[in-house]
Amino acid sequence: QVELVESGGGLVQPGGSLNISCRVSGFDFSIYPVSWYRQFLGQDRERIARIGATGAASEYADSVKGRFTISRDNAENAVYLHMSDLKPEDTAIYYCSAFVRQRFWGQGTQVTVSP
């Protein structure tokens, strides 16, 4: 059974940094790309970062490029998102996701950027 579990969200001040994590199980993590999405209140989820199976390739949405870094540890079945220079407009629920014959989602973790 595929499972993704995010952790590490919380409240951070503007300009601050935060790391969030996602641990996965139930599939061969090392051969699948994984993505981070976020969802603003009342809006659809948007993909903000994606990392290839080996971790050698990654891509970012323009809104986070240069501020966020996606990484993965295949030995730990985990994917991470390091977020820096956070802005109030980054406030959202953050989800990790993998497409393993169908798209699977974690439960999400709330990130709030506020003074």
Side-chain angles (χ1 to χ4, degrees), residues 2-97:
V2 174
E3 188 174 38
L4 301 94
V5 180
E6 301 94 339
S7 61
L11 175 65
V12 61
Q13 292 188 342
S17 298
L18 192 68
N19 297 315
I20 56 177
S21 303
C22 175
R23 296 200 176 271
V24 309
S25 59
F27 66 101
D28 189 353
F29 177 71
S30 67
I31 65 172
Y32 288 92
V34 186
S35 298
W36 283 100
Y37 286 70
R38 67 183 179 186
Q39 186 172 25
F40 303 120
L41 190 63
Q43 298 187 28
D44 292 335
R45 294 177 190 179
E46 63 167 354
R47 192 172 75 185
I48 55 172
R50 179 182 185 273
I51 189 165
T54 66
S58 58
E59 53 191 60
Y60 299 90
D62 288 344
S63 57
V64 305
K65 197 174 295 182
R67 300 189 297 124
F68 292 12
T69 303
I70 188 172
S71 61
R72 66 190 293 162
D73 184 338
N74 285 350
E76 295 292 326
N77 278 13
V79 59
Y80 308 99
L81 189 67
H82 174 66
M83 303 179 287
S84 63
D85 189 23
L86 282 160
K87 309 175 188 298
E89 52 264 40
D90 293 315
T91 295
I93 300 175
Y94 286 72
Y95 298 88
C96 62
S97 180

